[in-house]
């Protein structure tokens, strides 16, 4: 474990003034008084009603943890990293109290802009409800930080507030890191846009694997204890190169087995349909216009739909009831896009599938079929971020950083760093056989062979 040190104050002073949370992952988490002013706001407390893993608890019953716990965890691990850098390079890096405050605050508040059921809202619902609208939970988080500070009259320095927002946005798409001062390395800690190694991943990998009852082959403490800032960048000791690969591989394994589990995805597709059906009446998309309304939206929207008596919500309610009764959209089959087709991958649509139907007597429509494309990678698409973006050093006396080619580390590491999984679902069980046959025919047209590795069980095909 990384030992905790003070931030320039006696330990007993810190514990007297700080709030203690007992966390099931990090055990004692101490939150400073400034951060507690954000925690003790209705906007932050809302995160208790936003599940970290969306609907994964339907498959992994232990995955009931929320963005609230995760946010406290990221705050804690950000503090561990800052404490370590202070111990190991404090004089050289000239770390100041403001650096500790802002990095830990950014860790605490980085996910405060997440919508209901986390990524389902911004990655699945909004693109279908508002196809041409660009929105990100990172930008909403930054906006929410300023909103909370203004609404609750939190006494925070203006330059600190700007830096917290910039730290949160550091890894978002299209963002340009605005470095306040000469400490670019601070932007590698919470949301690392340089190579993706950050305390956000450290916490959620630890927390999610534990909640789902899964093993892991990665310990973030090894990276924290073997980091060094060289040329304003956080680098890692060369002997930990395999640990870095394990970080990305563990994340990819979680994506495949938990986050994009076939049943979880079926439930998410149903949730999105329910939200779309309820949108005209509940005006869900209007909540994203600004933080003053957005904080009022959380996972309880599902219960609102389920228990509503208004006729305008009847169709949405029926979808939710199907979810509760486990009358799910039927997973028909899937295939991994062959690696020679990855670079020029073209989205597969429901229309592609129904145009390939072969079963006589069944006329599928686009509304009968759902196609979902899942991308799993090492955070950088087809690129290997470890060999191209992560810098290493030889020993703690080193002043030079370097990249390590993949073949210098191991010959049994992946050759390709992205999977695209195409899945097809039938909304009604009586259409499963027809959808399966159309999906196979589509693959033959596309590749000249069927890329799926298993057939659809006969019991599913015969289900009515």
């Amino acid at each position: 474990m990384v030992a905790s040190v003070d931030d320039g104050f006696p330990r007993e002073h810190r514990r007297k003034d700080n709030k203690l949370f007992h966390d099931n992952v990090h055990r004692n988490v101490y939150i400073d008084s400034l951060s507690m002013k954000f925690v003790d706001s209705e906007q932050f407390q809302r995160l208790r009603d936003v599940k970290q893993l969306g609907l994964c608890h339907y498959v992994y019953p232990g995955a009931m943890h929320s963005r609230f716990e995760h946010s406290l965890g990221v705050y804690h691990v950000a503090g561990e990293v800052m404490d370590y850098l202070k111990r190991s390079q404090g004089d050289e890096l000239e770390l100041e109290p403001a650096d500790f405050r802002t990095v830990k605050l950014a860790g605490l508040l980085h996910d405060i802009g997440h919508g209901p059921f986390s990524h389902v809202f911004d990655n699945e619902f909004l693109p279908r409800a508002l196809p041409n609208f660009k929105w990100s939970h990172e930008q909403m988080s930054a906006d929410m930080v300023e909103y909370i500070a203004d609404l609750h009259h939190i006494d925070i320095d203006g330059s600190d507030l700007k830096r917290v927002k910039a730290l949160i946005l550091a890894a978002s798409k299209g963002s340009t890191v605005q470095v306040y001062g000469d400490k670019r390395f601070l932007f590698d800690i919470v949301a690392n846009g340089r190579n993706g190694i950050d305390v956000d991943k450290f916490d959620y990998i630890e927390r999610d694997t534990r909640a789902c009852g899964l093993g892991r082959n990665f310990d973030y403490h090894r990276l924290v204890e073997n980091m060094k800032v060289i040329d304003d960048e956080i680098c890692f000791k060369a002997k930990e190169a395999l640990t870095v690969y394990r970080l990305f591989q563990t994340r990819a394994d979680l994506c495949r087995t938990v986050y994009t589990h076939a049943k979880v995805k079926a439930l998410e597709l149903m949730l999105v349909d329910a939200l779309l059906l309820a949108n005209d009446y509940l005006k869900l998309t209007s909540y994203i216009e600004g933080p003053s309304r957005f904080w009022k939206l959380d996972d309880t929207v599902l219960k609102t739909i389920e228990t509503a008596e208004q006729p305008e919500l009847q169709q949405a309610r029926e979808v939710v009831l199907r979810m509760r009764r486990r009358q799910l959209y039927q997973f028909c089959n899937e295939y991994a896009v062959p690696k020679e087709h990855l670079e020029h991958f073209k989205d597969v649509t429901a229309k592609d599938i129904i145009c390939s139907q072969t079963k006589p007597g069944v006329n599928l429509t686009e509304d009968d079929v759902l196609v979902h494309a899942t991308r799993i990678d090492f955070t950088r698409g087809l690129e290997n971020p470890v060999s191209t973006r992560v810098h290493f050093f030889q020993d703690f006396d080193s002043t030079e950083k370097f990249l390590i080619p993949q073949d210098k580390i191991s010959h049994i590491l992946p050759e390709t760093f992205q999977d695209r999984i195409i899945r097809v679902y039938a909304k009604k069980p009586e259409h499963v056989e027809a959808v399966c046959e159309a999906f196979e025919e589509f693959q033959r047209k596309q590749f000249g062979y069927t890329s799926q590795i298993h057939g659809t069980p006969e019991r599913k095909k015969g289900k009515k």
Side-chain angles (χ1 to χ4, degrees):
M1 295 289 289
V2 177
S4 179
V5 301
D6 59 48
D7 303 341
F9 303 100
R11 186 181 296 275
E12 60 272 16
H13 176 80
R14 293 175 67 226
R15 293 197 174 180
K16 177 182 176 183
D17 291 351
N18 293 355
K19 177 74 173 177
L20 170 64
F21 288 84
H22 188 77
D23 179 57
N24 70 328
V25 173
H26 305 295
R27 299 189 67 79
N28 292 345
V29 174
Y30 290 91
I31 309 292
D32 66 79
S33 57
L34 173 62
S35 298
M36 278 306 303
K37 292 178 182 178
F38 285 90
V39 172
D40 288 338
S41 68
E42 57 271 34
Q43 289 75 27
F44 189 88
Q45 292 294 318
R46 158 189 174 271
L47 295 180
R48 293 181 185 272
D49 292 319
V50 178
K51 287 189 176 63
Q52 173 80 6
L53 297 186
L55 295 171
C56 289
H57 63 284
Y58 276 77
V59 177
Y60 294 91
M64 294 292 290
H65 54 301
S66 69
R67 290 279 162 185
F68 184 88
E69 297 103 293
H70 170 60
S71 298
L72 298 184
V74 176
Y75 170 97
H76 175 77
V77 183
E80 286 185 320
V81 170
M82 292 298 292
D83 287 346
Y84 176 79
L85 293 177
K86 181 179 180 181
R87 287 200 312 277
S88 60
Q89 294 179 269
D91 294 337
E92 174 190 347
L93 299 177
E94 299 180 345
L95 292 173
E96 301 169 351
D99 299 326
F100 282 82
R101 284 196 306 272
T102 54
V103 169
K104 293 201 292 184
L105 258 180
L108 181 74
L109 302 171
H110 77 289
D111 271 351
I112 202 167
H114 262 296
F117 302 97
S118 294
H119 292 289
V120 178
F121 185 79
D122 47 328
N123 291 346
E124 306 286 352
F125 169 67
L126 284 179
R128 289 179 62 186
L130 300 170
N132 299 314
F133 188 80
K134 292 184 179 180
W135 189 88
S136 74
H137 73 267
E138 294 93 348
Q139 185 60 57
M140 180 56 77
S141 293
D143 294 343
M144 189 71 75
V145 170
E146 189 160 0
Y147 173 75
I148 295 172
D150 289 343
L151 181 68
H152 298 280
H153 308 292
I154 297 175
D155 186 15
I156 179 172
D157 185 81
S159 60
D160 282 2
L161 191 62
K162 285 182 180 179
R163 185 193 268 185
V164 169
K165 292 168 62 177
L167 287 163
I168 289 171
L169 292 170
S172 58
K173 291 180 180 178
S175 72
T176 302
V177 173
Q178 293 178 287
V179 180
Y180 295 89
D182 55 355
K183 297 172 182 174
R184 170 64 178 84
F185 69 90
L186 294 177
F187 291 77
D188 295 341
I189 296 174
V190 174
N192 190 341
R194 201 182 325 236
N195 55 44
I197 303 174
D198 52 43
V199 297
D200 179 28
K201 291 181 183 63
F202 291 174
D203 181 82
Y204 75 63
I205 286 174
E206 185 96 7
R207 194 172 300 278
D208 295 353
T209 52
R210 184 175 303 209
C212 295
L214 303 175
R216 67 183 183 282
N217 193 26
F218 167 73
D219 180 6
Y220 79 82
H221 296 101
R222 289 192 65 88
L223 291 186
V224 174
E225 293 168 348
N226 286 279
M227 62 172 54
K228 182 178 181 178
V229 176
I230 300 176
D231 294 339
D232 215 16
E233 176 182 0
I234 292 181
C235 307
F236 301 93
K237 201 169 184 179
K239 72 182 183 71
E240 296 302 327
L242 275 174
T243 305
V244 175
Y245 273 102
R246 288 190 194 107
L247 163 67
F248 290 110
Q249 188 61 61
T250 304
R251 177 184 175 276
D253 289 344
L254 278 169
C255 286
R256 184 178 289 276
T257 59
V258 178
Y259 310 151
T260 66
H261 187 286
K263 281 287 193 295
V264 171
K265 192 51 62 179
L267 285 154
E268 289 181 355
L269 291 170
M270 296 182 78
L271 172 63
V272 171
D273 278 354
L275 295 178
L276 289 169
L277 289 167
N279 187 43
D280 283 347
Y281 184 76
L282 296 180
K283 309 296 183 188
L284 299 175
T285 50
S286 68
Y287 284 80
I288 67 173
E289 294 171 1
S292 62
R293 293 203 68 205
F294 184 78
W295 76 267
K296 299 172 184 177
L297 194 60
D298 57 39
D299 291 3
T300 59
V301 66
L302 191 66
K303 182 61 73 174
T304 299
I305 295 170
E306 183 181 14
T307 59
E309 297 181 357
Q310 294 90 336
E312 294 88 347
L313 293 175
Q314 181 179 344
Q315 286 183 291
R317 185 167 60 251
E318 288 172 356
V319 176
V320 175
L321 288 175
R322 282 186 62 181
M323 293 170 61
R324 299 296 197 197
R325 296 166 182 172
R326 211 168 178 79
Q327 299 167 357
L328 308 182
Y329 294 165
Q330 293 293 300
F331 169 65
C332 296
N333 219 313
E334 67 180 18
Y335 69 83
V337 176
K339 65 180 181 180
E340 62 268 21
H341 292 269
L342 283 172
E343 191 171 353
H344 302 291
F345 171 77
K346 181 183 176 183
D347 286 338
V348 181
T349 66
K351 186 176 181 180
D352 293 325
I353 305 303
I354 65 169
C355 287
S356 302
Q357 61 183 311
T358 58
K359 188 173 180 61
V362 179
N363 291 312
L364 296 172
T365 68
E366 289 185 52
D367 195 48
D368 296 324
V369 181
L370 281 169
V371 180
H372 191 272
T374 296
R375 189 180 78 176
I376 301 171
D377 58 27
F378 275 25
T379 75
R380 290 297 181 274
L382 295 168
E383 181 186 342
N384 174 6
V386 185
S387 63
T388 60
R389 292 172 178 261
V390 180
H391 282 93
F392 296 89
F393 60 90
Q394 198 62 45
D395 55 55
F396 287 106
D397 294 326
S398 303
T399 57
E400 294 183 358
K401 64 182 183 181
F402 51 86
L403 297 170
I404 303 180
Q406 180 178 331
D407 60 1
K408 294 290 182 69
I409 298 173
S410 173
H411 295 299
I412 57 173
L413 290 169
E415 292 182 0
T416 305
F417 292 86
Q418 183 184 92
D419 269 343
R420 281 191 181 268
I421 312 297
I422 308 301
R423 289 182 177 144
V424 65
Y425 294 82
K427 287 190 176 182
K428 298 176 182 178
E430 59 266 29
H431 291 152
V432 169
E433 186 172 5
V435 172
C436 289
E437 292 182 7
F439 190 48
E440 290 182 26
E441 180 61 23
F442 169 76
Q443 293 171 65
R444 282 189 282 269
K445 288 180 181 178
Q446 193 85 343
F447 310 120
Y449 57 90
T450 57
S451 185
Q452 64 192 45
I453 61 172
H454 56 79
T456 305
E458 291 300 321
R459 60 180 174 78
K460 271 194 172 185
K461 289 184 180 180
K463 201 168 184 180
K464 299 295 181 183

